[in-house]
Amino acid sequence: MYVFKTPGFFKKIWPRYTWQIDTKEKILYLTFDDGPHPVATPFVLDQLAKYNAKATFFCIGKNVQEHSSIYQRLINEGHSVGNHTHNHFNGWKTATPDYIKDVEEASRHIESGLFRPPYGRIKSKQGKIISRQQHIIMWTVLTGDFDTSQSWEYCNKKVLGQSKPGSILVFHDSEKAFPILEKLLPSVLSYFKERGYRFEKLSAALLQKGEK
């Protein structure tokens, strides 16, 4: 079970995690989890280039190893990257020493001060350890692109209605999400571009200016 927009009380329970960027400017922060993927990630990069958009890719370490040229492409095109563990571990189901070891393994392939836990599931102790060196990035809007039981039109309606200035949106550049992603992403980019929004990447420097 999931909700498209993160409830406000989540931000109060875990205030040290970043859920959105505090701005009144028309800026959205698009993020992509689970790549690089040989089909989905190049598609995403082509779409972002079309709209002069920058984004943040939370990559799985083993996928970076397998698709290093695609990983290098997204960096060369000016996007930022984040650590999404090496093996896509669920923090709630993984012992803390094993989880931290997996994050450290991913860090050998992904140089970043940003981290997002797979499924958004992370134990308090895990979060405390990781946040000593990395900003933990959650999200404002979950696009639902991974949910094969939904239509892309339904996801599109939710995303367009819930996204506001400073929102952090989560897409997935993965095989499972691609059937929805390939229709949803162009729609989101076009809709907000026409309304004067721009799309920017997350960075440690940005977050140090103030988090919300």
Side-chain angles (χ1 to χ4, degrees):
M1 182 178 179
Y2 64 93
V3 293
F4 281 88
K5 187 168 185 179
T6 302
F9 68 84
F10 276 31
K11 303 168 189 177
K12 294 181 180 179
I13 297 173
W14 295 286
R16 69 173 177 272
Y17 300 165
T18 299
W19 300 89
Q20 66 186 57
I21 302 300
D22 188 14
T23 182
K24 294 182 180 179
E25 294 185 63
K26 287 186 172 182
I27 303 172
L28 292 178
Y29 296 88
L30 308 184
T31 67
F32 297 85
D33 288 5
D34 298 352
H37 181 272
V39 175
T41 307
F43 168 81
V44 169
L45 292 172
D46 290 345
Q47 290 298 311
L48 294 175
K50 181 179 177 180
Y51 289 91
N52 193 29
K54 298 304 178 188
T56 305
F57 291 79
F58 287 92
C59 299
I60 296 173
K62 64 181 182 180
N63 289 346
V64 171
Q65 285 184 291
E66 188 173 353
H67 306 293
S68 58
S69 62
I70 299 174
Y71 178 74
Q72 192 58 51
R73 178 188 166 186
L74 65 88
I75 291 174
N76 291 345
E77 294 186 8
H79 304 290
S80 62
V81 296
N83 187 320
H84 199 48
T85 74
H86 193 72
N87 292 290
H88 206 258
F89 281 173
N90 182 331
W92 292 357
K93 297 180 179 180
T94 308
T96 294
D98 295 335
Y99 191 79
I100 298 303
K101 183 178 180 180
D102 197 67
V103 173
E104 291 173 346
E105 175 62 23
S107 293
R108 296 174 186 170
H109 310 283
I110 305 164
E111 185 176 347
S112 176
L114 309 178
F115 175 79
R116 173 174 285 156
Y119 316 102
R121 296 174 181 174
I122 185 170
K123 295 174 184 174
S124 179
K125 186 175 182 180
Q126 295 165 352
K128 288 180 180 178
I129 294 171
I130 293 169
S131 63
R132 293 171 188 165
Q133 296 183 322
Q134 297 172 300
H135 294 273
I136 297 178
I137 311 298
M138 302 304 265
W139 57 80
T140 318
V141 178
L142 189 62
T143 65
D145 58 358
F146 58 89
D147 187 352
T148 57
S149 70
Q150 303 286 4
S151 68
W152 84 267
E153 291 92 345
Y154 178 77
C155 295
N156 187 59
K157 179 180 179 180
K158 288 290 186 179
V159 173
L160 300 188
Q162 301 287 3
S163 301
K164 307 296 180 184
S167 290
I168 299 173
L169 282 63
V170 181
F171 297 86
H172 295 78
D173 50 334
S174 67
E175 184 170 350
K176 180 181 179 181
F178 189 63
I180 290 179
L181 176 71
E182 66 175 336
K183 296 179 181 179
L184 178 62
L185 179 59
S187 175
V188 171
L189 286 166
S190 175
Y191 179 88
F192 285 105
K193 188 76 170 182
E194 289 175 359
R195 285 155 181 78
Y197 278 78
R198 63 183 191 270
F199 310 95
E200 296 189 358
K201 62 185 179 182
L202 297 168
S203 67
L206 171 68
L207 298 172
Q208 287 168 358
K209 293 180 181 179
E211 300 179 35
K212 186 174 180 181

